[in-house]
Amino acid sequence: MGNSIPHDRSGQLKQIEGGLLPGEQIIAVYDAVGAGTGFIGLTDRRVIIQDKSFAGKRMAITSVPYSKISSVSVVSNKSIAGSFFSSGTIAIHVGTQIYEIEFRGEEKTRHVHDVIVHYISR
């Protein structure tokens, strides 16, 4: 593992590294803004989401295999007259559950979206 992995915080990267399966590769780890989600990690096998929305001071690290993701959305609160990725928020649909993640910067939004689309459309 090198520093060539795109990431916002080294502590988050280390947390993902600590839970990898043998041979699993990290693609990116991005910090999320807002109350619910702490960060998202993308590997070549799954999406890893740190969810801080549990009661008290608890949090969950949720692993979602790409095969369980039905779709990924770019969420915008205005009409998409401008760029497709003008928003920094994506929604990942897993069964009836939706994980909404907001990023700082549209390039991170685009990267996460494109990686997920790549793996779920195989």
Side-chain angles (χ1 to χ4, degrees):
M1 302 284 159
N3 289 337
S4 57
I5 299 166
H7 65 282
D8 292 323
R9 299 189 186 182
S10 56
Q12 295 170 348
L13 179 62
K14 285 185 174 60
Q15 214 171 337
I16 300 282
E17 284 174 345
L20 289 179
L21 301 168
E24 188 174 16
Q25 301 291 315
I26 301 174
I27 297 165
V29 182
Y30 293 130
D31 193 36
V33 297
T37 303
F39 63 81
I40 184 170
L42 301 170
T43 78
D44 57 354
R45 299 186 189 184
R46 58 192 161 138
V47 176
I48 301 165
I49 298 164
Q50 183 196 50
D51 189 345
K52 298 187 295 192
S53 60
F54 286 80
K57 295 202 183 322
R58 299 182 306 156
M59 68 174 63
I61 303 276
T62 303
S63 291
V64 182
Y66 289 110
S67 61
K68 300 288 183 212
I69 298 173
S70 54
S71 64
V72 59
S73 308
V74 178
V75 181
S76 178
N77 52 12
K78 53 191 179 299
S79 66
I80 306 194
S83 159
F84 188 70
F85 290 97
S86 58
S87 159
T89 304
I90 64 162
I92 300 168
H93 303 258
V94 183
T96 57
Q97 178 86 36
I98 299 173
Y99 296 96
E100 201 170 299
I101 302 134
E102 187 180 344
F103 303 98
R104 291 179 188 84
E106 58 187 78
E107 61 288 329
K108 291 172 189 172
T109 310
R110 179 169 203 133
H111 188 213
V112 170
H113 173 275
D114 290 355
V115 167
I116 293 172
V117 167
H118 170 79
Y119 282 104
I120 68 174
S121 47
R122 290 170 118 184

